[in-house]
Amino acid sequence: MLVDGRFDYLERLRYYVGVATAPVQYMANLPSLASSTTLDLFNSRSELVELREELLMQQYRLQQLDHLSAENARLNALLRSAAKVDDEVMRTQLIGESPDPFVKRILIDKGARDGVTVGLPVLDALGLMGQVVEVEPFNSWVLLITDPQHATPVELERNGVRGIAAGTRDTAQQLILNNIPNGEDVQVGDMLVTSGIGGRFPPGYPVGMVTSVRQDPSRPFADVQATPTAEISRSRNLLLVFVRERSEPVAAAPPPRENADG
Amino acid sequence: MVEVGAKEELSGAWVILVSVVLGALLSIMPLPLDYEAWRPKWMILVLIYWAIALPHRMGLFTIWALGVFTDVLEGTLLGLNAFMFALAAYVALTLYQRLRMFTLVQQSFLVLMLVGVQQLLAFWILFMAGRNTATDFSFLYPALSSALLWPVVYVLLRSWRRGYLVT
């Protein structure tokens, strides 16, 4: 146990036992799969109409977005900064979650066979869910951003104030913003997005919304809480993001200034 | 015939396998969050039963290996369940002759103690490993629910064992 907690030697054992556990995990998911499939049958007609309308709206927004991202790429090229590329994504489904209510981990139906590696970010339609921490041949475990072992580098969308959003030590799906100084401009309703610092998560993905700010002058830091944007305990259809190396274009282009990175 | 002996040795291995798979399924079956803390330790119940009923077939190593299987299944610290299962199995394998004489209520008390101690140790280990664990005594709920369900598991598995002549 100590070895598993501290080192990686046992990953191979876990990997091979994962072949045996996959069918059981698949079977455990069958009832919910069957119920959602049956519900889909009944819902399909009305949902189809809704989805068509939504698709139309999204395509309309996409047209603008294409224009904006092209413009953004041009401006970035002018500034010679890192070219922002579209990330590759892979669809995946939630097939299980940790039986321990205090461990906020979920099981997804893609594994090493599909090219999943440790550290890949996982999103749902609304925001960041977590990252892959254990890879088995057919499944992988995802540590949710609301687990206290997880900390997400974030910034406020409104003014770029940086912070670290950590999970909480209870069963609630909440986030705490650590080390925000008192007096910093943080307001209830501010959106948190990934800052991209640390390189694990691509910048700009929505993480959460600030729900409460308490600034107590007797304490060094403000107490800022947030709820995740992603529907952490409800989403079943998820996306795995394959993050491309972003540092390469920077190295290829001549550096704009000496010691630009400090 | 030679094959008879070989067959007898494996008689009804599938019954054991099915019960273990059922236990594994029940231990990862999605539950509403409110009840999740009460989820009985199904694998331990099933394995304690087989350890008491067929101690010559369910050895420590088998049970430890099934513990490793459960670890991967639940995605927890590798070795946690293996260690706990081996502890419970050791007690069951040492005392199986006495345990068979116990009434169901007495056995339930032993299950309460075994699962309780196991949960407490798991709580300490998980805490030391830095994993998120309960902040109150809710980590002991599975001991209660397991003890309450033990008579059901025992009677059910015994009827299977007798029905399919697993020896």
Side-chain angles (χ1 to χ4, degrees):
Chain A
M1 280 168 277
L2 181 95
V3 174
D4 184 41
R6 307 263 180 241
F7 309 107
D8 294 334
Y9 301 138
L10 289 178
E11 280 311 304
R12 290 200 77 75
L13 175 64
R14 191 189 283 282
Y15 183 84
Y16 289 117
V17 179
V19 179
T21 53
V24 180
Q25 280 154 345
Y26 178 74
M27 271 159 73
N29 184 42
L30 279 183
S32 56
L33 194 69
S35 73
S36 66
T37 320
T38 337
L39 280 178
D40 280 353
L41 281 180
F42 290 113
N43 289 340
S44 49
R45 185 54 64 86
S46 57
E47 213 171 311
L48 191 63
V49 178
E50 273 175 36
L51 287 176
R52 276 202 185 123
E53 280 173 14
E54 201 180 313
L55 182 67
L56 197 67
M57 285 307 293
Q58 300 285 4
Q59 274 173 339
Y60 162 70
R61 290 179 56 194
L62 199 63
Q63 288 172 9
Q64 290 182 316
L65 195 69
D66 276 344
H67 172 69
L68 285 176
S69 70
E71 187 177 289
N72 192 15
R74 271 202 308 277
L75 291 172
N76 269 330
L78 281 178
L79 291 169
R80 294 186 195 285
S81 69
K84 180 170 173 161
V85 282
D86 285 332
D87 296 302
E88 261 182 69
V89 294
M90 181 195 277
R91 277 191 314 133
T92 177
Q93 281 225 326
L94 179 143
I95 58 167
E97 51 188 342
S98 169
D100 186 338
F102 284 90
V103 175
K104 297 163 194 167
R105 290 182 182 215
I106 56 172
L107 191 70
I108 57 173
D109 68 346
K110 293 281 190 292
R113 291 298 202 80
D114 309 287
V116 177
T117 50
V118 170
L120 290 187
V122 177
L123 313 171
D124 77 349
L126 299 171
L128 186 70
M129 292 276 287
Q131 62 174 306
V132 176
V133 283
E134 273 158 24
V135 181
E136 292 165 17
F138 306 103
N139 303 322
S140 349
W141 283 98
V142 175
L143 184 67
L144 296 174
I145 51 172
T146 48
D147 192 283
Q149 280 198 309
H150 196 281
T152 321
V154 293
E155 62 185 24
L156 294 187
E157 201 178 36
R158 183 166 54 87
N159 52 12
V161 169
R162 286 184 303 276
I164 290 176
T168 52
R169 297 202 76 90
D170 50 29
T171 52
Q173 307 289 4
Q174 284 286 326
L175 295 167
I176 293 179
L177 232 59
N178 288 329
N179 305 343
I180 295 285
N182 271 328
E184 191 70 81
D185 181 14
V186 181
Q187 289 167 13
V188 171
D190 277 347
M191 292 301 294
L192 301 170
V193 297
T194 49
S195 65
I197 294 171
R200 181 57 58 92
F201 300 109
Y205 286 118
V207 175
M209 195 181 74
V210 175
T211 49
S212 88
V213 180
R214 217 152 36 95
Q215 301 203 339
D216 182 352
S218 68
R219 299 172 64 182
F221 297 111
D223 178 17
V224 182
Q225 294 192 345
T227 45
T229 334
E231 295 190 311
I232 295 270
S233 44
R234 267 174 289 168
S235 290
R236 299 185 63 86
N237 293 308
L238 311 172
L239 290 173
L240 275 161
V241 183
F242 291 86
V243 187
R244 297 227 187 100
E245 277 303 324
R246 277 154 201 283
S247 48
E248 280 170 24
V250 178
R257 268 182 292 145
E258 285 293 305
N259 298 330
D261 294 325
Chain B
M1 277 190 283
V2 189
E3 278 185 39
V4 174
K7 249 187 182 171
E8 233 167 69
E9 203 172 304
L10 283 174
S11 74
W14 65 271
V15 177
I16 303 180
L17 194 69
V18 165
S19 67
V20 168
V21 169
L22 269 181
L25 276 178
L26 284 169
S27 53
I28 57 166
M29 213 54 143
L31 278 181
L33 189 66
D34 297 345
Y35 304 112
E36 195 121 46
W38 287 92
R39 183 197 295 271
K41 296 280 152 186
W42 293 104
M43 282 297 267
I44 278 221
L45 291 183
V46 171
L47 291 176
I48 290 180
Y49 175 78
W50 289 119
I52 295 175
L54 306 170
H56 54 285
R57 293 185 65 170
M58 263 300 177
L60 260 185
F61 180 76
T62 319
I63 291 177
W64 177 84
L66 283 168
V68 174
F69 173 82
T70 314
D71 283 330
V72 178
L73 193 68
E74 296 183 351
T76 179
L77 217 53
L78 200 63
L80 184 73
N81 278 309
F83 178 55
M84 301 308 160
F85 283 17
L87 266 184
Y90 178 74
V91 174
L93 287 171
T94 320
L95 301 177
Y96 71 93
Q97 283 175 320
R98 207 178 303 173
L99 290 179
R100 286 178 185 172
M101 295 298 122
F102 277 11
T103 62
L104 279 179
V105 178
Q106 285 174 314
Q107 287 181 348
S108 283
F109 267 107
L110 186 94
V111 169
L112 180 73
M113 297 316 291
L114 276 182
V115 180
V117 167
Q118 179 235 303
Q119 287 295 101
L120 186 65
L121 282 173
F123 174 71
W124 286 344
I125 292 170
L126 285 174
F127 185 78
M128 281 190 284
R131 303 280 174 113
N132 192 26
T133 46
T135 41
D136 50 11
F137 282 105
S138 64
F139 66 90
L140 286 175
Y141 294 165
L144 282 174
S145 57
S146 302
L148 285 175
L149 274 164
W150 168 255
V152 183
V153 174
Y154 184 83
V155 171
L156 199 74
L157 286 179
R158 187 178 57 184
S159 70
W160 277 11
R161 184 175 63 81
R162 291 187 176 160
Y164 292 106
L165 296 173
V166 189
T167 50

